[in-house]
Amino acid sequence: MAEKKVTRIGVMCSGGDSPGMNAGIRAVVRTALYHGIEVYGIVRGYSGMIEDDIYQMQSRSVANIIQIGGTILKTARSKEFFTKEGREKAYSNLKKRGIDGLVILGGDGSFRGAQTFSNEFDIPCIGLPGTIDKDIAGTDFTIGFDTAVNTAVQAIDKIRDTAESHDRLFIIEVMGRDAGYIALHSGIATGAENILIPEKKTDIDNLIASLQEKEKRKKLVNLIIVAEGEKGGADYIDKIIKEKIPGLDTRVCILGHIQRGGSPTCFDRLIASRMGYHAVECLMEGRFNVFVGIVNNRINYIPLNEAVKKKQRINEEWMKIVKILSS
Ligand code: F6P
């Protein structure tokens, strides 16, 4: 492990926001201050680093935020940071303040940026997995996923009420980018009849046959949860169903950004606090360029460059459970 001593760190969010990021920022700021390390908040992630939108944070800067969704530091996806020139500007802004370590809350794209930056300028970076998508290998959980799934579950439960009243089939699209975790978890928790995710090839003929069979036995209420990364999304699935079973009364509902907001669940607050605390410990111990994950309830450190290569795999058992429970 490295010998370098970290005295002044920057904390920032990057990529899509996720509920619990504030709890993570709070943990980083308060742990660092406890150890006598100065903390600077970098506004709008890599963009703020380039534009020098950086301010010193105190303990009170993070008061009363643990329960608030979004991020007080704001977030962005910076195109300029992809250029060497952009990264040089960013580095000179850190250097003039003496910032010698970074904690980045974000997803795999943000970690990729951190790894490049650290290779070029020898700034140690620690990642905290903050994404509703849960699409980072090396951790069982990501900050924001639990809240997003619970938001989706509440919305789908409400849709079921109206689906039931009208004997309708609802095709509900949830977020997740290329990952099907929000769809899988929210689908199981709401008793959805079908869950379509990009990790598993959808057998459309089979889907249509099962809907026709259910129609015959007068099971008219069906919920199909579609991950946004599934080919064509909910609209495409609806189009095919309408073509093949013209009599069926269907509606599409795309849940969208509602899944990204709201007060974080207790679980997201807990993991964000725990991970944030360990991020600072990593910097103090010289455990550089890793992200902090949790596996089997133990803290797991994964090199940033490994985190960006792998995605989480869907447990096959879940698919079996869906099939059995929704029959
Ligand atoms: O990565 C989080 C996420 O919400 C994805 O689930 C979704 O595909 C994407 O971000 C949406 O991004 P934007 O807010 O830029 O539309």
Side-chain angles (χ1 to χ4, degrees):
M1 272 187 280
E3 286 295 307
K4 203 167 154 180
K5 198 165 164 10
V6 171
T7 55
R8 230 172 250 187
I9 64 169
V11 58
M12 61 181 232
C13 299
S14 168
D17 64 347
S18 65
M21 278 185 160
N22 280 331
I25 296 167
R26 174 179 176 270
V28 170
V29 171
R30 296 218 164 141
T31 308
L33 293 176
Y34 173 81
H35 290 293
I37 298 172
E38 283 182 21
V39 192
Y40 287 80
I42 303 170
V43 182
R44 283 176 293 103
Y46 296 116
S47 302
M49 212 191 277
I50 294 169
E51 290 154 21
D52 203 18
D53 200 350
I54 300 171
Y55 69 97
Q56 191 170 0
M57 298 182 89
Q58 312 296 346
S59 186
R60 66 175 178 278
S61 316
V62 290
N64 203 17
I65 64 165
I66 196 168
Q67 78 286 11
I68 298 173
T71 155
I72 58 158
L73 288 176
K74 297 187 183 286
T75 185
R77 297 187 176 102
S78 167
K79 286 210 178 87
E80 211 184 336
F81 197 74
F82 284 114
T83 67
K84 182 82 200 268
E85 216 190 350
R87 292 194 294 275
E88 271 164 2
K89 267 195 225 164
Y91 177 66
S92 74
N93 289 329
L94 297 186
K95 203 168 170 224
K96 77 177 179 204
R97 288 190 177 78
I99 295 173
D100 48 15
L102 284 178
V103 178
I104 298 119
L105 289 98
D108 59 345
S110 313
F111 293 171
R112 224 179 342 261
Q115 181 67 61
T116 309
F117 192 57
S118 185
N119 291 346
E120 284 174 351
F121 301 105
D122 196 25
I123 285 257
C125 295
I126 306 296
L128 292 187
T131 165
I132 63 164
D133 302 334
K134 200 166 102 76
D135 58 351
I136 303 175
T139 181
D140 292 344
F141 312 109
T142 59
I143 299 165
F145 172 75
D146 187 61
T147 308
V149 169
N150 276 290
T151 301
V153 164
Q154 283 170 17
I156 297 166
D157 283 348
K158 291 184 171 116
I159 292 170
R160 186 181 275 284
D161 291 346
T162 174
E164 183 85 45
S165 308
H166 286 265
D167 290 337
R168 273 178 178 157
L169 166 67
F170 266 84
I171 301 134
I172 303 160
E173 185 179 300
V174 296
M175 276 189 168
R177 205 178 286 277
D178 303 323
Y181 268 100
I182 298 179
L184 185 65
H185 285 224
S186 62
I188 293 170
T190 54
E193 278 69 17
N194 296 91
I195 303 171
L196 312 186
I197 56 174
E199 290 86 348
K200 191 137 183 96
K201 197 173 174 337
T202 300
D203 184 338
I204 291 283
D205 293 337
N206 200 10
L207 174 70
I208 299 296
S210 83
L211 291 174
Q212 280 166 333
E213 185 273 324
K214 280 173 185 150
E215 203 190 9
K216 263 196 211 131
R217 61 179 162 100
K218 297 272 172 262
K219 185 177 188 315
L220 298 169
V221 178
N222 282 296
L223 300 180
I224 302 180
I225 310 299
V226 183
E228 66 173 345
E230 172 74 11
K231 185 186 154 206
D235 285 322
Y236 175 72
I237 300 295
D238 182 49
K239 188 169 156 276
I240 296 182
I241 293 172
K242 279 198 164 87
E243 274 166 22
K244 304 274 184 189
I245 323 175
L248 212 58
D249 194 8
T250 69
R251 292 290 186 275
V252 169
C253 180
I254 297 174
L255 295 188
H257 285 80
I258 189 173
Q259 294 159 98
R260 282 246 296 269
S263 178
T265 57
C266 171
F267 185 79
D268 276 331
R269 296 180 202 192
L270 286 180
I271 61 166
S273 302
R274 192 174 173 197
M275 289 173 173
Y277 165 85
H278 280 281
V280 176
E281 295 274 310
C282 279
L283 286 171
M284 285 176 21
E285 290 164 5
R287 196 189 292 274
F288 295 161
N289 298 335
V290 294
F291 85 86
V292 182
I294 297 176
V295 173
N296 295 332
N297 201 22
R298 296 175 78 106
I299 290 292
N300 193 32
Y301 304 106
I302 306 96
L304 284 178
N305 55 5
E306 278 182 28
V308 298
K309 276 189 241 140
K310 291 185 231 145
K311 297 252 169 201
Q312 281 194 10
R313 291 233 314 270
I314 296 278
N315 182 343
E316 279 301 313
E317 195 187 35
W318 277 127
M319 299 315 292
K320 197 172 162 197
I321 292 173
V322 172
K323 198 156 183 275
I324 294 172
L325 301 192
S326 66
S327 55

